[in-house]
Amino acid sequence: MAPKQVAYAVLPANDASSLAELARQRRLSEEDVARLTKEKSACAVLPSGALIEDLEENPWPLLRELRYRTCLEYPSIKEHQQLEDKYLKPLRSMRGSWWKKPQALELLAKQLDEVGFVVVDDFLPDPLVRALKASNLRLYEQSDMQKGATTGGNERVGIFHRGDVLKWIGYDGETEASRSVSAFTAQVEDAMTRLAHHGEKAAPKTAAAIKGVRWRSETMLTCYPGESRARYFRHTDNSSGNGRLLTALIYLNEDWKPGDGGELRLFYPGEKNLKVRMEVEPIWNRLLLFWSDDRSPHEVLSACRDRFAATVWLYDQKNPNVPLAELGSYAGGEVASTPAKAEAEPEKEPEEEPVVAQPEKEEPALLVFYDGQNDEALQLKESLEGEVRLVDLRTPQAEALKQAGERWSQLLESGADAVVQEAGPVFLCLPTGEVLKHGEREKWMLQYELEYWRSVKPPSEETRQRLQDTLFAPLAQFREKFDASGAGVWWATPEAVSTWGQALARESFMVLDDFLPAEDAASLAKAMRSMQPKMEPGRGDMVLWLHPDAPEMGRLVEFNNALVTLMMELPQDSIQARAQQITALSNSQFASFPGSAENDDARYIRHVDNEDGLNGRLLTCTFYLNEDWDERDGGEIRLFEPDQRRIKADVAPKMNRLVVFFSDSSVPHEVRRCRRERCAITTWYINQEMYLEYHQAEEEGQ
């Protein structure tokens, strides 16, 4: 009989059906199944898929594992929420090179002081982190790594204590790996300098400790092979006074998903403490910094796919048994001398291209045209070299691109002088065909677009399928089956409420089509058209604010209130946490985007409706009024994962469609460029006291 989907599976010898089921669940490889079936060995399969064999002869590894798991204690919901509210959520709300901002550094220093670790996402510039990953992957694929070892031996009670492979890399600059780790450690030391400086008032003891750092180790490049479900049991990095003060590691795993394992599990302080503080996913370009001593016991959970990272240790005591690089003084907030030297090396030897430029070999999807006779354009062009493909409007290359067949290529047909007159001496051609004109005037927007198209990634296939299976398809079926002549509306049936409630709790958004009766939706569309002459410019759109009591709003407010009432009765904690705070409904925003491919402002760039958690907005409800909307018309609301990098879903603004999402940083979003007029009505459910207090402070200039 095949085993159920349980945490542990203990199998008797030659139980072929159970082994096959575990292989289907991705907990055993086909190779393991074939071998175990042939060898007829009793075994245990752990939750991660790690395998313990030969139980007939030696049951102790399994007993040790079970005893360890039963001793683990997880933080309470309250403890987790305190950490989330005090540190993690405020830091997630910052954008750009967020961790270099004074307010972020002060908060990071306080977090390191109070809880012993910090997480910095998007830490390295993209070319640098890609070069670091390339070096790590190359060493692993060439089998140029050694098994990790621990004091006292790598095997404990029949179980491998540590399953990674690694390579130590120095800073002589003679190899690509050496140059990439030098650039990485330079960024780490810069971060330490900033933390020490900005933490002097917020966390003086932590700032003083960081200023005491004088050496750093070589960088350790590692891989935890997924095939062997590699892990590293609970330990501390400095259990014997070896001089390590801080551990800084960066994760190099693109598209890491829940279920891939490999989390770093941090425990509360204490050599023998088994209470879990947090589990940190090893996602791409995430820096994790924590104390190396018994303030930060930790372990690496079993990885289900190859897991890459780079780690460097910062020392406040000299260790004669370890190769260490001496740092410059942190006094006065100056950048250490060692990283400055590392950054300067490529300039001294221009004929040898630095490793960080390697990932840029592929043709960029972005194209910047500039006027080679304009001094300002030439200066701006120099700052963009290496980031995009640059083309001088007055060269044969630009002439050849007239035949590219892209939407922007028609612009070039009028000649260089006419193009400069219309689009400016610097303009950006996007992969979607739009042209961002006059980049020399809006340099921040030019940089925003460059960063956007380099960093934003489409939703994973797993996310697409999950949303289709758990949200879009089930709700479409309920809507089609609902008898329109019956009482109520389709989305208020128990089956529909359960489905969209679970989706809202899991994904932080939901989409309801045919939200209003058709005649009410048509009436609102007519009201929208009549109000357009009264609208004023907004953020790329034209807007008009209406009170919820306005006659035009009657049916929409009625249905929105009914929806939120149903929401307040749902059991999910994430929904209740917001719903219980709702005390009022905001004014409604009637918005019309003009819809023109030539109008670069006809959109609303990526943002959060309640970014700092202070303006009182809790739930955003946007209702669309666009008949016969086609996917070629654009104008989707693009919903992002909280990291603002991975797209979760693009939702078209179709007629009589309501999109509902939480207003906080769990749902960053943007309105994409539209090619025809796009109309919507947005209302927010708010905490009125916070809302009024926030806007009063805003009016007073606080």
Side-chain angles (χ1 to χ4, degrees):
M1 181 177 177
K4 295 179 180 179
Q5 180 73 22
V6 293
Y8 291 82
V10 181
L11 311 179
N14 201 22
D15 188 348
S17 63
S18 296
L19 290 169
E21 175 64 14
L22 288 168
R24 188 189 68 78
Q25 295 171 4
R26 195 187 166 204
R27 296 175 69 187
L28 277 182
S29 67
E30 298 290 347
E31 293 77 9
D32 281 336
V33 170
R35 179 174 55 79
L36 291 168
T37 304
K38 182 178 179 181
E39 295 177 359
K40 300 181 180 181
S41 168
C43 64
V45 182
L46 305 185
S48 63
L51 185 63
I52 300 177
E53 301 183 53
D54 301 319
L55 291 183
E56 306 100 326
E57 299 178 8
N58 183 13
W60 292 109
L62 177 59
L63 294 176
R64 179 200 185 282
E65 177 73 22
L66 291 172
R67 176 175 174 78
Y68 176 71
R69 297 297 169 188
T70 57
C71 291
L72 287 178
E73 179 185 355
Y74 283 86
S76 66
I77 295 177
K78 182 178 179 181
E79 288 172 318
H80 177 78
Q81 196 61 47
Q82 287 175 341
L83 180 62
E84 177 77 13
D85 292 343
K86 190 171 184 179
Y87 294 113
L88 306 182
K89 183 178 176 181
L91 290 169
R92 277 201 305 269
S93 70
M94 300 182 186
R95 298 188 229 165
S97 298
W98 65 270
W99 65 266
K100 294 184 179 181
K101 297 179 180 180
Q103 62 269 35
L105 289 161
E106 183 176 332
L107 195 57
L108 288 169
K110 289 175 66 177
Q111 182 183 341
L112 183 60
D113 184 65
E114 294 185 9
V115 299
F117 76 94
V118 296
V119 176
V120 180
D121 285 333
D122 302 321
F123 178 66
L124 293 177
D126 190 66
L128 201 161
V129 69
R130 293 195 178 280
L132 195 59
K133 171 62 180 290
S135 296
N136 199 335
L137 183 61
R138 189 178 304 111
L139 290 169
Y140 177 62
E141 291 178 340
Q142 294 174 353
S143 300
D144 197 15
M145 289 181 161
Q146 298 80 41
K147 289 184 178 180
T150 60
T151 304
N154 198 33
E155 189 170 303
R156 310 284 176 87
V157 200
I159 302 179
F160 279 113
H161 190 73
R162 177 177 183 177
D164 60 334
V165 292
L166 60 89
K167 180 78 171 180
W168 291 96
I169 306 295
Y171 308 108
D172 57 17
E174 295 181 358
T175 64
E176 291 183 354
S178 177
R179 291 191 289 274
S180 66
V181 300
S182 295
F184 161 57
T185 55
Q187 294 283 334
V188 170
E189 290 168 18
D190 179 41
M192 294 300 98
T193 303
R194 295 173 187 270
L195 274 175
H197 176 71
H198 290 279
E200 287 180 341
K201 293 182 179 179
K205 291 183 179 179
T206 291
I210 294 174
K211 289 180 181 179
V213 170
R214 289 294 178 269
W215 300 273
R216 58 172 157 80
S217 69
E218 295 181 336
T219 295
M220 182 179 73
L221 299 181
T222 63
C223 176
Y224 283 75
E227 182 179 6
S228 62
R229 298 298 199 271
R231 64 194 290 188
Y232 193 163
F233 275 102
R234 184 190 178 283
H235 64 284
T236 61
D237 290 352
N238 181 2
S239 58
S240 57
N242 60 23
R244 289 175 174 174
L245 176 72
L246 283 164
T247 303
L249 65 93
I250 190 163
Y251 294 116
L252 306 170
N253 309 293
E254 291 189 271
D255 304 320
W256 200 265
K257 303 182 295 295
D260 288 338
E263 297 90 348
L264 190 138
R265 175 182 284 161
L266 287 158
F267 295 88
Y268 276 78
E271 185 179 352
K272 298 181 179 180
N273 199 328
L274 288 179
K275 182 175 181 181
V276 178
R277 171 162 258 160
M278 187 176 179
E279 292 179 353
V280 181
E281 293 181 323
I283 65 174
W284 177 254
N285 204 4
R286 166 174 283 176
L287 180 81
L288 176 61
L289 180 72
F290 56 86
W291 301 114
S292 302
D293 55 24
D294 65 4
R295 285 175 284 184
S296 302
H298 57 281
E299 68 176 333
V300 178
L301 305 186
S302 296
C304 299
R305 52 177 278 204
D306 293 345
R307 171 195 187 273
F308 295 93
T311 307
V312 63
W313 281 272
L314 302 174
Y315 285 69
D316 62 355
Q317 299 178 44
K318 183 71 172 177
N319 188 330
N321 300 315
V322 179
L324 296 178
E326 189 168 0
L327 306 183
S329 172
Y330 284 108
E334 295 178 5
V335 178
S337 59
T338 302
K341 182 179 179 180
E343 289 182 339
E345 283 183 10
E347 296 180 4
K348 293 180 180 178
E349 301 178 20
E351 68 279 2
E352 182 179 342
E353 185 174 327
V355 67
V356 295
Q358 295 296 325
E360 296 297 333
K361 290 180 179 178
E362 295 184 3
E363 183 95 347
L366 296 169
L367 186 63
V368 172
F369 287 94
Y370 67 96
D371 182 1
Q373 296 181 2
N374 183 290
D375 291 339
E376 184 181 9
L378 290 173
Q379 291 177 3
L380 188 54
K381 170 250 183 185
E382 291 178 3
S383 69
L384 300 177
E385 286 180 346
E387 297 189 8
V388 291
R389 183 181 175 190
L390 294 157
V391 178
D392 188 340
L393 280 168
R394 303 181 186 278
T395 62
Q397 187 181 10
E399 187 71 22
L401 286 171
K402 291 181 182 179
Q403 311 302 321
E406 300 290 345
R407 289 168 55 198
W408 47 259
S409 58
Q410 300 176 1
L411 177 67
L412 305 178
E413 295 178 356
S414 56
D417 290 333
V419 172
V420 171
Q421 183 69 26
E422 179 181 348
V426 179
F427 59 91
L428 173 64
C429 299
L430 302 176
T432 51
E434 284 90 358
V435 177
L436 179 66
K437 300 176 182 178
H438 292 287
E440 78 288 351
R441 296 180 189 171
E442 299 287 347
K443 295 178 183 177
W444 74 271
M445 183 57 73
L446 179 63
Q447 291 294 341
Y448 173 86
E449 290 288 0
L450 295 176
E451 174 63 22
Y452 182 96
W453 289 100
R454 279 198 306 268
S455 62
V456 169
K457 299 177 182 178
S460 66
E461 186 56 38
E462 180 183 0
T463 298
R464 292 179 192 271
Q465 197 62 49
R466 184 182 73 245
L467 292 174
Q468 180 64 23
D469 293 344
T470 63
L471 177 61
F472 300 129
L475 290 181
Q477 292 174 359
F478 295 144
R479 195 174 73 253
E480 291 171 2
K481 293 179 181 178
F482 184 74
D483 183 4
S485 63
V489 290
W490 75 266
W491 48 261
T493 60
E495 298 88 349
V497 172
S498 176
T499 299
W500 59 251
Q502 292 178 45
L504 183 60
R506 182 179 54 250
E507 312 293 352
S508 299
F509 83 97
M510 63 177 179
V511 179
L512 301 177
D513 285 334
D514 297 331
F515 181 67
L516 291 182
E519 59 273 17
D520 293 319
S523 177
L524 266 176
K526 182 178 180 181
M528 170 72 77
R529 289 192 293 272
S530 68
M531 292 177 187
Q532 285 179 328
K534 303 176 185 178
M535 291 182 175
E536 297 179 352
R539 295 179 174 90
D541 53 354
M542 302 295 289
V543 300
L544 180 69
W545 293 88
L546 255 66
H547 193 275
D549 292 338
E552 298 86 350
M553 291 299 300
R555 290 290 274 172
L556 183 59
V557 169
E558 176 187 343
F559 276 61
N560 277 342
N561 286 344
L563 179 71
V564 173
T565 299
L566 290 170
M567 193 181 302
M568 289 179 170
E569 298 173 355
L570 291 170
Q572 289 88 352
D573 290 341
S574 61
I575 295 177
Q576 287 299 311
R578 279 93 164 183
Q580 290 176 3
Q581 299 180 57
I582 292 174
T583 59
L585 181 64
S586 75
N587 287 349
S588 295
Q589 182 194 69
F590 280 61
S592 171
F593 283 86
S596 166
E598 288 73 36
N599 186 351
D600 298 313
D601 295 329
R603 60 171 179 154
Y604 190 171
I605 65 174
R606 188 173 43 187
H607 64 286
V608 172
D609 285 356
N610 187 1
E611 184 173 3
D612 54 11
L614 300 176
N615 70 19
R617 289 177 174 174
L618 299 169
L619 190 72
T620 303
C621 301
T622 300
F623 183 70
Y624 295 113
L625 297 166
N626 308 293
E627 294 184 6
D628 303 320
W629 196 267
D630 187 274
E631 63 179 13
R632 292 169 296 183
D633 295 329
E636 305 91 345
I637 182 169
R638 172 165 286 178
L639 305 167
F640 292 87
E641 300 285 0
D643 63 5
Q644 302 195 22
R645 292 292 184 265
R646 173 73 68 178
I647 299 167
K648 178 171 277 189
D650 285 334
V651 182
K654 294 183 177 180
M655 181 71 179
N656 205 0
R657 168 174 283 176
L658 182 76
V659 177
V660 179
F661 53 88
F662 296 137
S663 304
D664 57 28
S665 58
S666 63
V667 191
H669 55 282
E670 68 177 344
V671 176
R672 305 292 292 153
R673 286 183 173 86
C674 44
R675 299 181 181 89
R676 52 172 279 202
E677 185 182 47
R678 174 193 186 275
C679 298
I681 303 173
T682 301
T683 54
W684 289 269
Y685 283 84
I686 62 175
N687 180 289
Q688 190 171 35
E689 183 179 355
M690 291 183 65
Y691 185 85
L692 294 175
E693 182 180 344
Y694 180 88
H695 286 283
Q696 181 179 357
E698 195 175 52
E699 291 173 3
E700 295 172 354
Q702 297 180 13

